Amino acid sequence: MIGSLNKSYNFPVIVTAEDLKALTDLLSHDFKEIQYEINTKEGTRYTLNSIEEILNYSNPNDRKIQRICIKGNKEKDKNFIFPNISVSILDKSKYSKSFELEINKLEETEICYYSQRVDEFTKRIKAPYWWLHKHTFYFISGILLYLLSAFLYLYNVDNTEPLNKVYNILALNSVGIICMFISMVVLEKIIFFFSPECCIAIGEQKKRKDKLDKRKTLIFTTIIATLILGTLSSIIAYYIIQCFV
């Protein structure tokens, strides 16, 4: 049977030069003619015939690649308006999805094969921090921040008088709004800066990714070291006080 298939994926991805080469090798094995398209941030669209032209692109921030489409036809000299297969990598800051597969007029066995292989490929390029971009994460973060703030607030205020209770309820509502704002806006911007939803790590974007990874490692190491030193200092201070009291 001859059929078609359209699948899309919606999660953060990190695509390296090796990933693009592997995807090209997968498609060029059975498709005699391959064509590449890229769209850049300022709106330029390029049609290319070699993966090397994409890999050699400088990919600067103001003209970074936001879409890569690899098309394949089983027969040569066939137009690419409706190719037999089309695989697109998309920047979710502009598009509603991160990856798309389109198959046209292929045998059932071929559809199953390429669908499975593309599924395996998407799992490989799926960003390890994908869960940070879930709305659930920001909602839970806001709730935890609110609970901590509410506990600290109520621990330090007088809640015995009726009038104080009214003031405290109003204050807690304000604290809840502030906590959700911090989680949904401030935290989201920080995460999107350090862990973008789409990173096509070639050219300058690879250098930028490496710098961000080093900064994240430094920040994480500093936080852990601070917590450890703070805990050790507290333990040491406690024993010193016990020795002299």
Side-chain angles (χ1 to χ4, degrees), residues 13-14 40 78-79 87 93-94 119 167 185 200 228 233 243:
V13 296
I14 300 174
T40 59
K78 185 180 177 183
N79 68 68
V87 177
S93 66
K94 181 177 180 180
D119 280 342
Y167 287 145
V185 178
I200 298 176
I228 293 173
S233 299
C243 290

Side-chain angles (χ1 to χ4, degrees), residues 218-233:
L218 178 61
I219 292 171
F220 181 76
T221 303
T222 301
I223 292 173
I224 295 298
T226 302
L227 292 173
I228 293 173
L229 288 174
T231 303
L232 290 175
S233 299

Side-chain angles (χ1 to χ4, degrees), residues 24-223:
T24 297
D25 291 341
L26 170 64
L27 299 182
S28 61
H29 184 267
D30 290 323
F31 296 92
K32 297 179 180 179
E33 199 165 31
I34 302 290
Q35 186 183 82
Y36 306 87
E37 287 181 3
I38 63 172
N39 293 66
T40 59
K41 186 176 180 180
E42 87 286 7
T44 306
R45 176 180 174 183
Y46 299 97
T47 300
L48 310 168
N49 294 316
S50 168
I51 188 65
E52 296 301 326
E53 293 182 82
I54 299 177
L55 300 180
N56 292 330
Y57 179 63
S58 59
N59 207 16
N61 286 334
D62 57 335
R63 293 182 289 111
K64 71 177 181 178
I65 298 172
Q66 290 189 317
R67 173 180 174 268
I68 297 178
C69 181
I70 305 177
K71 302 178 180 180
N73 280 325
K74 300 208 72 175
E75 299 176 5
K76 285 189 175 182
D77 301 322
K78 185 180 177 183
N79 68 68
F80 283 96
I81 298 176
F82 296 106
N84 292 127
I85 193 167
S86 173
V87 177
S88 298
I89 300 166
L90 307 161
D91 188 337
K92 284 189 82 269
S93 66
K94 181 177 180 180
Y95 301 92
S96 61
K97 60 196 81 171
S98 58
F99 199 91
E100 186 174 33
L101 167 67
E102 293 183 13
I103 295 176
N104 298 299
K105 296 182 179 179
L106 289 183
E107 293 285 349
E108 179 186 3
T109 54
E110 293 175 308
I111 292 175
C112 293
Y113 172 77
Y114 282 104
S115 177
Q116 181 180 352
R117 294 300 299 275
V118 168
D119 280 342
E120 294 170 358
F121 178 79
T122 56
K123 289 178 182 177
R124 202 160 61 241
I125 66 171
K126 187 175 184 178
Y129 52 75
W130 60 269
W131 52 276
L132 289 174
H133 291 276
K134 291 287 187 180
H135 294 302
T136 308
F137 169 77
Y138 298 109
F139 183 71
I140 293 175
S141 298
I143 291 177
L144 292 176
L145 184 60
Y146 170 72
L147 291 175
L148 177 62
S149 302
F151 172 78
L152 294 174
Y153 176 81
L154 292 174
Y155 184 78
N156 292 284
V157 298
D158 180 14
N159 200 35
T160 57
E161 297 294 330
L163 188 59
N164 287 345
K165 290 183 179 181
V166 174
Y167 287 145
N168 290 339
I169 290 173
L170 293 174
L172 288 175
N173 288 335
S174 300
V175 168
I177 294 172
I178 293 171
C179 289
M180 294 310 296
F181 174 81
I182 292 174
S183 176
M184 296 293 184
V185 178
V186 179
L187 180 61
E188 183 182 45
K189 288 186 180 298
I190 293 172
I191 288 176
F192 271 70
F193 176 77
F194 283 104
S195 305
E197 286 192 286
C198 178
C199 177
I200 298 176
I202 61 174
E204 291 187 18
Q205 298 308 309
K206 184 181 186 306
K207 296 177 182 177
R208 182 176 183 273
K209 176 184 177 298
D210 292 340
K211 288 181 180 178
L212 288 176
D213 287 342
K214 289 179 181 179
R215 289 179 186 175
K216 284 190 290 186
T217 302
L218 178 61
I219 292 171
F220 181 76
T221 303
T222 301
I223 292 173

